[in-house]
Amino acid sequence: MDMMPVWISIKTALAATLITFFLGLAAARYMAGRDFRGKSLVDGFFILPLVLPPTVVGFGLLCLFGRNGPVGQLLFAMGRPVVFSWSATVIASAVVSFPLMYQAARAAFEQVEPNLENAARTLGASEWRVFWRISVPLAWPGIAAGAVLAFARSLGEFGATLMLAGNIPGKTQTIPLAIYFAVEAGKDALALNWVLMVLFISFISLVALNHWKRRQYHNMASIVDFLPEESTDAGN
Amino acid sequence: MLAIDIKKRLPEFRLEVAMRLNYEIMAILGPSGCGKTMTLKCIAGLEKPDEGLITIDDRTWFDSWQHIDLPAKERRAGFVFQNYALFPHLSVYDNVAFGLRGRPSAEIQERVNNILAKLGIMKLTSRMPNRLSGGQQQRVALARALAGEPEVLLLDEPFSALDSLVKSRLEDELLKLQEYYQGHVLYVTHNLEEAYRLSSRMAVIEAGQVLQQGERQDVIQRPANRRVAVLTGVRNLFSGVICSLEDHRVQLEVEELGSLWVDRKVDQGFKLGQRVTAGIRPGHIRLGKREACNSAVVAVSDCVEEVSGCTYHLQASNGRSRLNLETSSANAEQILRAGEKCDIYLPPSHLFIIDDSK
């Protein structure tokens, strides 16, 4: 059995999650706890790939990165066209999974108590240090859940990938594409192999997600623990 | 010298705070939502005033006219938050060491251990905050704020989250704070007793305005106006007319109580016939005592039994108008019942006069 689609899928999903992770974190940090004119407009724009049909996202990306698109023209001039290359699978997956990461991280940042960040500031921490040492660790369960969801979504991406990257075996053919074209060609047994593979990888991702959720729950539970005042340490 | 003179427009009111303090503990007393916490946040650099000036010794932290606004990380004011705001993912040690970054590790270790030892929480070093009791959390928060030797220590209702037993013990400890912290301390509370016990100076704030500030005895013994009197726990206020002036005392004519002598405080200028407000704290009215002057017969309108003693609501009347008074008596042996008559005596030294025209 040709394992290429599996490696391409995992490579793509990892690369897309990495990009999405930092972009989503940056966007979430910028939007959380800030109020400006047109905020809901920007927010809507970030969420859009989640609600649009992937083919619409793919069409949009094609317009942007295609031979006649503004970014595409530049890339063609530089001799590094993106369309129908492996990078295209990453871009398509990253764009489609971005809203999941962004939403989860933003919700998690908004849950962080502002006074914890304020306390860090009064202790001399720069905004950069406040972000990495306080905000991110405290929002981590939510951020991690977002990253796992984004990874799972990248893995399953079909429509936008097909539009932007095409179906080139050994180059842009991810598992979902391979399944579709195997079924279309009547190779049901091959399709089933890949289906089982996707089931396995997705299941692992979800187990990881649940693990994070449980950790989050445990943290909450220990915070509300009732702790009696100890008589030995306070009196002296 | 820490000098603050700031204005900030808030949704409910305008915050206008001007105060100065000189290496002492100043309590900011006021009801919740009066702008106390906002004032502290402005000083720490966590909120930006609309206009004003914050200077510490010869340095400027904020000056709206010169566009100086030092960020919080450069002001490094020690801030103890109301809920302590300990970093839940860091141990006690790491919480306290958080503000010491950039120093040699040996120095960090020494400083952290030093401050933990002073506060008696040395053995909590490796605990996580969610394994600390409220009192321990407060000490860690204090240790964390003091570790970097800040020039100003800002305490936002540090006792409001504690039960009364722990509270009184920690209060005693905070009184000793000055032994190891020499700096400006601003202390926010809505509790008068606490403010008085812990501070040397007091500022009374309501709806963003400083109504009075000064030595704590002055604020308590000579409220500047009726609002200050009410906010500092004076329950008995009545109007009167000045009918006689002597060097050391003033005579007032109060419709319901007759004539009252009041000891005259320095720099209080009064005129004969002037309408003023007089007041006395509940604990200062002497129940069941009759003197040649400053005494009256009143009716008990109701009696609330307290843990020690009673709180009485009294009614003085001259037939035309009535005056409600409140007093507390530590002597619970003889409880007066509603409807009974009794003598009261208002000591001239405890009565004060508020100049309504000011």
Side-chain angles (χ1 to χ4, degrees), chain A residues 113 115-116 118-126 129 133-134 137-138 222-223 225 227-230 232-234, chain B residues 41 46 72-73 76-77 81 83 85-89 98-99 101 127 130-133 135-136 139 144 169 173:
Chain A
E113 214 223 302
N115 273 350
L116 292 173
N118 280 337
R121 289 182 188 113
T122 64
L123 293 166
S126 61
R129 189 163 183 246
R133 292 281 286 141
I134 306 298
L138 294 178
S222 54
I223 285 168
D225 262 358
L227 291 157
E229 179 81 3
E230 282 180 30
T232 44
D233 57 87
Chain B
K41 285 190 166 173
L46 299 171
K73 64 169 172 139
R76 314 203 64 159
F81 291 84
N83 57 2
L86 297 179
F87 306 132
H89 58 304
F98 189 89
R101 209 174 76 118
R127 283 247 203 124
N130 60 9
R131 294 273 146 221
L132 299 175
S133 65
Q136 291 168 335
R139 277 165 226 247
R144 184 178 69 178
R169 199 166 54 200
E173 275 180 26

Side-chain angles (χ1 to χ4, degrees), chain B residues 87-231:
Chain B
F87 306 132
H89 58 304
L90 300 180
S91 68
V92 166
Y93 182 93
D94 289 334
N95 261 281
V96 178
F98 189 89
L100 299 173
R101 209 174 76 118
R103 299 167 201 257
S105 58
E107 190 194 326
I108 294 179
Q109 205 168 357
E110 193 196 314
R111 272 183 185 243
V112 174
N113 289 337
N114 215 342
I115 191 82
L116 290 179
K118 274 177 188 161
L119 286 162
I121 47 174
M122 197 61 181
K123 65 174 192 175
L124 302 179
T125 314
S126 56
R127 283 247 203 124
M128 296 305 279
N130 60 9
R131 294 273 146 221
L132 299 175
S133 65
Q136 291 168 335
Q137 285 184 35
Q138 196 221 43
R139 277 165 226 247
V140 175
L142 191 60
R144 184 178 69 178
L146 290 175
E149 291 178 349
E151 290 162 285
V152 188
L153 182 63
L154 307 168
L155 302 156
D156 188 5
E157 305 248 6
F159 298 113
S160 63
L162 302 174
D163 61 68
S164 55
L165 204 70
V166 179
K167 184 182 144 165
S168 67
R169 199 166 54 200
L170 288 173
E171 260 187 32
D172 293 344
E173 275 180 26
L174 204 65
L175 278 171
K176 290 185 235 149
L177 177 70
Q178 279 162 314
E179 288 170 18
Y180 51 86
Y181 178 70
Q182 289 81 34
H184 314 285
V185 182
L186 262 174
Y187 173 89
V188 156
T189 180
H190 62 263
N191 183 319
L192 171 74
E193 313 284 329
E194 197 182 292
Y196 191 83
R197 277 196 295 268
L198 292 172
S199 63
S200 55
R201 283 165 67 80
M202 270 165 68
V204 182
I205 297 192
E206 189 183 45
Q209 310 289 316
V210 180
L211 301 180
Q212 189 176 3
Q213 62 176 309
E215 299 296 322
R216 61 178 181 178
Q217 298 89 344
D218 280 355
V219 175
I220 293 304
Q221 288 166 13
R222 294 163 57 195
N225 54 49
R226 272 176 172 260
R227 282 312 295 163
V228 173
V230 170
L231 288 170

Side-chain angles (χ1 to χ4, degrees), chain B residues 153-324:
Chain B
L153 182 63
L154 307 168
L155 302 156
D156 188 5
E157 305 248 6
F159 298 113
S160 63
L162 302 174
D163 61 68
S164 55
L165 204 70
V166 179
K167 184 182 144 165
S168 67
R169 199 166 54 200
L170 288 173
E171 260 187 32
D172 293 344
E173 275 180 26
L174 204 65
L175 278 171
K176 290 185 235 149
L177 177 70
Q178 279 162 314
E179 288 170 18
Y180 51 86
Y181 178 70
Q182 289 81 34
H184 314 285
V185 182
L186 262 174
Y187 173 89
V188 156
T189 180
H190 62 263
N191 183 319
L192 171 74
E193 313 284 329
E194 197 182 292
Y196 191 83
R197 277 196 295 268
L198 292 172
S199 63
S200 55
R201 283 165 67 80
M202 270 165 68
V204 182
I205 297 192
E206 189 183 45
Q209 310 289 316
V210 180
L211 301 180
Q212 189 176 3
Q213 62 176 309
E215 299 296 322
R216 61 178 181 178
Q217 298 89 344
D218 280 355
V219 175
I220 293 304
Q221 288 166 13
R222 294 163 57 195
N225 54 49
R226 272 176 172 260
R227 282 312 295 163
V228 173
V230 170
L231 288 170
T232 56
V234 177
R235 297 281 156 64
N236 307 307
L237 288 168
F238 30 85
S239 10
V241 179
I242 291 180
C243 57
S244 162
L245 285 166
E246 288 179 12
D247 277 352
H248 299 292
R249 50 185 202 159
V250 178
Q251 195 179 24
L252 282 183
E253 190 59 41
V254 177
E255 200 177 339
E256 298 87 353
L257 295 169
S259 87
L260 293 175
W261 287 101
V262 180
D263 282 357
R264 192 174 185 170
K265 319 286 196 301
V266 278
D267 76 10
Q268 275 189 315
F270 295 114
K271 289 192 289 285
L272 273 177
Q274 189 183 351
R275 288 204 69 85
V276 291
T277 298
I280 187 163
R281 289 179 177 278
H284 288 150
I285 297 182
R286 305 281 293 275
L287 212 58
K289 189 174 161 91
R290 176 139 206 103
E291 295 279 325
C293 67
N294 283 27
S295 270
V297 179
V298 294
V300 176
S301 50
D302 100 71
C303 159
V304 181
E305 283 184 47
E306 306 279 352
V307 177
S308 57
C310 292
T311 298
Y312 291 104
H313 294 103
L314 310 170
Q315 211 165 56
S317 169
N318 66 343
R320 274 177 299 153
S321 58
R322 281 197 293 259
L323 176 67
N324 292 314

Side-chain angles (χ1 to χ4, degrees), chain A residues 106-194:
Chain A
R106 185 180 155 186
F109 282 142
E110 279 168 354
Q111 289 298 310
V112 175
E113 214 223 302
N115 273 350
L116 292 173
E117 290 158 335
N118 280 337
R121 289 182 188 113
T122 64
L123 293 166
S126 61
E127 288 306 306
W128 183 255
R129 189 163 183 246
V130 171
F131 181 65
W132 289 109
R133 292 281 286 141
I134 306 298
S135 314
V136 169
L138 294 178
W140 187 247
I143 293 171
V148 172
L149 279 178
F151 178 79
R153 180 68 187 83
S154 300
L155 210 58
E157 173 45 32
F158 178 82
T161 311
L162 187 61
M163 299 279 284
L164 192 67
N167 175 39
I168 308 169
K171 201 170 159 195
T172 67
Q173 192 186 54
T174 57
I175 305 179
L177 293 171
I179 293 170
Y180 177 77
F181 286 101
V183 171
E184 210 184 35
K187 299 176 192 162
D188 282 7
L190 184 64
L192 184 65
N193 272 331
W194 281 325

Side-chain angles (χ1 to χ4, degrees), chain A residues 7 18 36 45 47 71 96 110 117 127 144 168 174 194:
Chain A
W7 297 133
L18 197 72
F36 57 90
F45 178 74
I47 306 285
V71 184
V96 171
E110 279 168 354
E117 290 158 335
E127 288 306 306
I168 308 169
T174 57
W194 281 325

